[in-house]
C-alpha cells in the first residue's frame, strides 16, 4: 500500500502516525481471515456490500472531521466525478481479484502481488512520469521480472493474479493523484459512486429471492455489514497515519501486510509453497531489500 504525499514528521506526530499506519497494515494483513469467512457467498454480492457499508463509515468520519467542503465541491465537478469513477473502477477490480483469490486458495499469490506492487510503482513512474531509475532500482525491477519469469516457466502461464493485483493497485495510485482532494474525501466519493450500481444489484437480488442479506442467516448478514468496516477502517487509518510519516517510513512499513498474508497462507491456510515459489519469493525479497536500501539512501541524502 502506498501514499501520495510527502509529510513532515515530528516526534509526537511520527509516533501517532506510526501507530495509525501500523494498525492499518495489521488489519490488511489479517484481512484474509475475513475473506475466508465470506468465501461461501457470491463474489459480486460480497463486493457490493463491501462498497455499500463503507459509505456510512466514510461519511461519518468526514463529518466528524468537518471536511465536507471539498467533498461538496467535488460533487459539482464533472472532471472530478469522472476521475473518481475511474479510480473507483480500478479499486473494484483490485478488490474483486483479491476476494476471489482467497476464496479459491490462492492467497500466496495475493501476497506476492502486494510485494511486487512497490516495484511496479517505480516502473510506472519511470514509464509514465519520466522518473529516472537509479542503478539499484533497475536491479530491483530486474529481479522482480526474473521472479515472474520463473513462475511463468514453472506453471506454463503468467502469475496473473499477482500481476493483476500489483498493476491494478499501481494504476489506482497513479490516477488517484489526479483527484485534488484529501484521501478521506476521495474514498467517500469513490464508494458513493460505486454504491449506486451496488445498491441496485443488491435490491435486484432481493427481488429475485437470490440475495443472502437479511434472509434469515444472521451470520451472513453480519458478515456483509462488517465488510464495510474491514474495508473502510484500515484505509482511513492509513490515510491519517501517512500524513504524519515520511515516505521512506511508509515504504518500509508497506511490507508488513503482505508478510502477514504470506504467513497466513502457508502456515494457517496450508497453501502449497514449493521450491519454485520459494525461489520466486526469494528473488522478490532480494529486490525489495535492494529497493528499500536505495530509498533509504536517497532519503538520507535529501
Amino acid at each position: 500500500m502506498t501514499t501520495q504525499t510527502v509529510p513532515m514528521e515530528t516526534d509526537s506526530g511520527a509516533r501517532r502516525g506510526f501507530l495509525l499506519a501500523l494498525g492499518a497494515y495489521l488489519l490488511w494483513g489479517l484481512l484474509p481471515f475475513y475473506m475466508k469467512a465470506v468465501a461461501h457467498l457470491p463474489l459480486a454480492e460480497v463486493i457490493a456490500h463491501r462498497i455499500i457499508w463503507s459509505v456510512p463509515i466514510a461519511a461519518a468520519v468526514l463529518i466528524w472531521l468537518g471536511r465536507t467542503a471539498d467533498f461538496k465541491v467535488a460533487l459539482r465537478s464533472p472532471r472530478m466525478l469522472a476521475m473518481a469513477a475511474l479510480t473507483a473502477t480500478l479499486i473494484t477490480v483490485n478488490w474483486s481479484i483479491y476476494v476471489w483469490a482467497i476464496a479459491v486458495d490462492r492467497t500466496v499469490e495475493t501476497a506476492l502481488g502486494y510485494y511486487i506492487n512497490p516495484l511496479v510503482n517505480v516502473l510506472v513512474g519511470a514509464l509514465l512520469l519520466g522518473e529516472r531509475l537509479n542503478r539499484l532500482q533497475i536491479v530491483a525491477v530486474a529481479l522482480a521480472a526474473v521472479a515472474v519469469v520463473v513462475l511463468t516457466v514453472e506453471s506454463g502461464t503468467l502469475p496473473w493474479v499477482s500481476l493483476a493485483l500489483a498493476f491494478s493497485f499501481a494504476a489506482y495510485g497513479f490516477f488517484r493523484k489526479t483527484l485534488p482532494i484529501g484521501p478521506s474525501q476521495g474514498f467517500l466519493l469513490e464508494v458513493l459512486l460505486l454504491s449506486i450500481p451496488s445498491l441496485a444489484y443488491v435490491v435486484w437480488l432481493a427481488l429475485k429471492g437470490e440475495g443472502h442479506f437479511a434472509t434469515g442467516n444472521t451470520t451472513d448478514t453480519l458478515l456483509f455489514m462488517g465488510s464495510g468496516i474491514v474495508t473502510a477502517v484500515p484505509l482511513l487509518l492509513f490515510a491519517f497515519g501517512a500524513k504524519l510519516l515520511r515516505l521512506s517510513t511508509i515504504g518500509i512499513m508497506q511490507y508488513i501486510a503482505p508478510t502477514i498474508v504470506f504467513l497466513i497462507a502457508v502456515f494457517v491456510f496450508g497453501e502449497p509453497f514449493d521450491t519454485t515459489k520459494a525461489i520466486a519469493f526469494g528473488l522478490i525479497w532480494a529486490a525489495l531489500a535492494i529497493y528499500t536500501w536505495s530509498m533509504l539512501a536517497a532519503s538520507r541524502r535529501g
Side-chain angles (χ1 to χ4, degrees), residues 11 18 48 72 75 93 186 189 210 212 215-216 233 243 278 289-290 294 297:
D11 288 342
F18 175 81
K72 292 176 182 177
L75 286 176
V93 170
L189 185 58
E210 297 178 3
H212 295 79
T215 58
V233 170
K243 289 182 178 180
I290 293 170
S294 170

Side-chain angles (χ1 to χ4, degrees), residues 156-237:
T157 182
L158 281 170
W160 71 268
V161 170
S162 303
L163 293 175
L165 285 172
F167 277 92
S168 62
F169 200 75
Y172 171 74
F174 176 77
F175 286 108
R176 182 64 179 78
K177 291 181 181 181
T178 64
L179 280 176
I181 52 177
S184 53
Q185 297 97 319
F187 176 62
L188 176 57
L189 185 58
E190 288 167 347
V191 292
L192 190 62
L193 290 173
L194 290 170
S195 69
I196 299 170
S198 297
L199 190 58
Y201 177 67
V202 168
V203 171
W204 179 70
L205 286 178
L207 292 175
K208 289 181 63 180
E210 297 178 3
H212 295 79
F213 181 75
T215 58
N217 189 325
T218 305
T219 300
D220 287 349
T221 299
L222 292 176
L223 284 171
F224 277 136
M225 295 175 69
S227 64
I229 297 174
V230 300
T231 298
V233 170
L235 279 168
L236 292 169
L237 285 176

Side-chain angles (χ1 to χ4, degrees), residues 102-125:
I102 292 175
V104 298
D105 301 324
R106 299 176 72 166
T107 310
V108 168
E109 294 177 59
T110 69
L112 180 62
Y114 287 113
Y115 274 131
I116 293 175
N117 177 249
L119 302 175
V120 171
N121 287 335
V122 171
L123 188 60
V124 168

